[in-house]
Amino acid sequence: MVEKGITVCQSHGFVLRTTNGGVEVSRVLPHGPKDLQTEDSIVSINGKSVATAADAMRILDASIGVEQQTELEVSRGSGRVQEIVNVMMPCPAAKAEDGQIESGEEKKGAFSFARKEKTPDSKDEADAGNSPAPAIADVQPAVELSEAEQEKTLGNQAFKDSLWEDAIMHFTAAIDLSPKPAPNTLYSNRAAAYLQAGKAKEALMDAVKSTEGFPDFAKGHYRAGQALLDLERHTEAIVALNRALQCDPNNVQIYGALSRAQNLLEAAQKANEEAKEAAAEKKAQKEAAAAKRALQLTQKQSASGIKEATQAFADAKTNDASRAAKTANRN
C-alpha cells in the first residue's frame, strides 16, 4: 500500500511528503545530501517555490541532466525557533528508477526501490526468498563543476562559516565567470552576504537584480525588503515583502519580516509625530521669548525717551531763567 502524499525523489536521494504546511522531508536516503534533515520543510528549489511534493518532483526532474547543482531552500525548526538553510547538492546526470514508499501499517520494511517488489525486513527473510533483494540504484558520479559553480560552492561555504566578505568575493567571481546573463540566484546569494556584512545599499541592488526576469522570485523580493528595512525605508520594505509573500504565501520567515517592518513603520511614524510636536513647541517657546524681548526693548526705549524729554525741558527752563537775569542786569 503506497502512503498518500509521498513522493520518492530517488535520483536526488530523499523522500518528500505533502503536509498542511507545505512540503516536508520524510526521509533522506543513503546517497542523499548530507546537509538535508528529516522534517526539513522545502521552501524552494533552484529559486522556485513549491507547494506540494509533486511540484518539487517536477522541478527536480526538469533539472536532471541540465543543471550542475540543485539548490534547496529549507525551513528548519518549529514555532519561533526557525531558520532558513540553503542545501547544495550535485544534480544527477540521468534519472534513476522510481521507487515507492510502503505504508508502515502493512510492514516494517517500508521503503522499496523496485516496482512490485517488497524489501525484506531481515537477512533471514532475504535468504528465504527465491529471488534476490532489489538493488539500490547506484549513486550518481560527482559532476565536475565549472569554475563558476566552484566559486558558488566556495561562496556558500564561506556564508555558512559566517565569512561574509569571503562569500561576497566568491559570489562576485561566480557572477563574472558565469555565461551572461548570470543566474539570478547568484545575485540573491550575494545580496544575503551583503546584508550580513552590513552593506544594505549593495544588498538592495543585488536583490532587485535577482528579480529581473523573475518576478515570482520570492527570495529576491524578501532580501530587497530586508535591505530596505536596514536603510530605514520602511514603506518600501513593506511593499517588497508583500510582493515576496504573494510569491510564497507559506513562508513564515517572510511573515516575520513583514510584521517587523510594519512595527518599525508604526514606531517611525510615532517618533516623527512626536518630533514634529516637539519642534512646534520649541518654535512657539522661541517666538514667545522673542516677543518678550521686543516688548522689554520697547518699554526701555519709551522710558529713555521720557527721561530725555524731561531733561530737555529742564535745560530749556534753566536757559530761559539765565537769559531773563542777564536782561534785568543790563537794565
Side-chain angles (χ1 to χ4, degrees), residues 34-35 68-71 86-91 143-161 166-167 169-175 177-178 186 189:
K34 63 180 182 179
D35 293 332
Q68 290 184 321
Q69 276 199 320
T70 299
E71 180 179 5
N86 287 334
V87 176
M88 305 299 299
M89 58 178 295
C91 187
V143 179
E144 185 175 351
L145 301 180
S146 66
E147 288 184 294
E149 289 291 342
Q150 291 177 23
E151 290 292 345
K152 180 181 179 181
T153 300
L154 291 172
N156 288 334
Q157 186 58 50
F159 187 91
K160 190 175 181 180
D161 295 338
D166 287 355
M169 177 186 68
H170 288 302
F171 289 139
T172 300
I175 290 170
L177 292 168
S178 294
L186 290 177
N189 288 354

Side-chain angles (χ1 to χ4, degrees), residues 11-12 45-46 59-71 88-95 140-145 149:
S11 300
H12 289 79
I45 300 174
N46 294 335
I59 297 173
L60 291 170
D61 283 349
S63 68
I64 295 175
V66 178
E67 304 288 345
Q68 290 184 321
Q69 276 199 320
T70 299
E71 180 179 5
M88 305 299 299
M89 58 178 295
C91 187
K95 186 176 180 180
Q140 297 293 333
V143 179
E144 185 175 351
L145 301 180
E149 289 291 342

